[in-house]
Amino acid sequence: MKSAVDRLTPLGTMVLALLVEGDMHPYEMMRLMRGRREDRLVSITNGTLYHTVGRLERAGLVAQVRVDRDGNRPERTTYTLTDEGAEAVREWVRRELPRTDHPAEFRIALAEAHNLDRAEVVDLLRARRAGLEGQYALHRDGREDALERAVPEVYLLEVEREAVLLETELRWLDGLLDRLDDQSFPWGADELGPSTDTYLSERKAARL
């Protein structure tokens, strides 16, 4: 039987991570995610969001706090994150952050990596770097070998592109690891400090 983390979708992870910030109703979740352009990472529609929240509730990862009605507006159910939901976010990020074969999931894991301790993120990213380095060497050496065998370059364009992308990500990853090793680089809620006025205004606007 699949665990709660195995059944967790990318959108489900994003919903759980959003509730780390505080209790919310789905309409507020939708407005916040769209306002933050998180629809770049995953498709977000009213139907998929409400369906996802329902699945999370049935799995025990979120729980209802209250149901409100304001005037003629439809009822709004506010949800809170359970302890199991908070742990599911962390476990999902732990699983996806070092993987090199799930590029879409990696983007979300990276966006939510701040839910883990700095040292753990560094270890996970170093594991990812090792995997990327192996893939880069494979593409680089494969292309060079093919050219030595007089394979026309026109047949190697995809291999060339992949090698360039891998080399670029490795450089970016090295820079990120350097920043994370520098303790002056803020990480996590404790180091980032209290919520800013901009963030609080964003939350308030999303609730309306």
Side-chain angles (χ1 to χ4, degrees):
M1 179 181 293
K2 288 185 176 181
S3 68
V5 175
D6 290 331
R7 295 194 302 272
L8 201 54
T9 64
L11 179 56
T13 302
M14 292 172 68
V15 168
L16 294 179
L18 202 58
L19 288 173
V20 171
E21 301 178 23
D23 301 345
M24 299 183 196
H25 52 69
Y27 183 69
E28 181 181 355
M29 299 176 199
M30 175 75 71
R31 294 194 66 177
L32 277 175
M33 285 193 281
R34 286 181 172 168
R36 296 172 181 178
R37 297 304 307 274
E38 291 180 349
D39 48 358
R40 297 177 300 106
L41 304 176
V42 65
S43 175
I44 304 171
T45 66
N46 288 338
T48 57
L49 181 64
Y50 279 88
H51 177 71
T52 296
V53 171
R55 289 185 60 187
L56 295 173
E57 183 181 14
R58 290 191 294 274
L61 304 181
V62 304
Q64 292 188 24
V65 176
R66 63 182 181 275
V67 178
D68 300 311
R69 181 187 289 277
D70 185 8
N72 295 325
R73 291 178 177 176
E75 289 184 346
R76 290 179 176 175
T77 303
T78 297
Y79 293 87
T80 192
L81 186 67
T82 65
D83 291 342
E84 292 81 3
E87 182 58 26
V89 173
R90 294 189 289 267
E91 283 300 318
W92 195 91
V93 173
R94 288 186 184 108
R95 183 184 69 184
E96 297 298 335
L97 202 59
R99 295 187 65 161
T100 61
D101 58 340
H102 286 177
E105 286 81 356
F106 170 71
R107 295 178 66 195
I108 296 169
L110 185 63
E112 303 301 343
H114 57 86
N115 288 288
L116 302 181
D117 291 339
R118 180 196 302 261
E120 185 173 14
V121 171
V122 168
D123 288 342
L124 292 169
L125 289 177
R126 283 177 176 158
R128 177 179 179 82
R129 193 196 185 289
L132 291 174
E133 192 170 34
Q135 291 183 17
Y136 170 64
L138 182 67
H139 284 78
R140 178 199 61 204
D141 297 347
R143 181 176 182 275
E144 291 176 357
D145 178 68
L147 290 174
E148 289 176 0
R149 292 185 287 106
V151 175
E153 287 190 60
V154 68
Y155 297 134
L156 304 173
L157 296 179
E158 189 279 329
V159 177
E160 177 185 1
R161 174 184 179 274
E162 190 65 19
V164 170
L165 292 176
L166 288 165
E167 184 180 21
T168 300
E169 181 165 357
L170 283 167
R171 286 201 303 269
W172 170 80
L173 196 50
D174 285 340
L176 175 59
L177 287 168
D178 286 343
R179 281 184 285 166
L180 288 172
D181 284 336
D182 184 349
Q183 296 300 311
S184 67
F185 181 71
W187 187 263
D190 292 340
E191 294 184 33
L192 290 172
S195 300
T196 63
D197 291 341
T198 300
Y199 168 75
L200 294 174
S201 298
E202 180 187 56
R203 285 290 309 273
K204 182 178 180 180
R207 295 190 191 104
L208 301 178

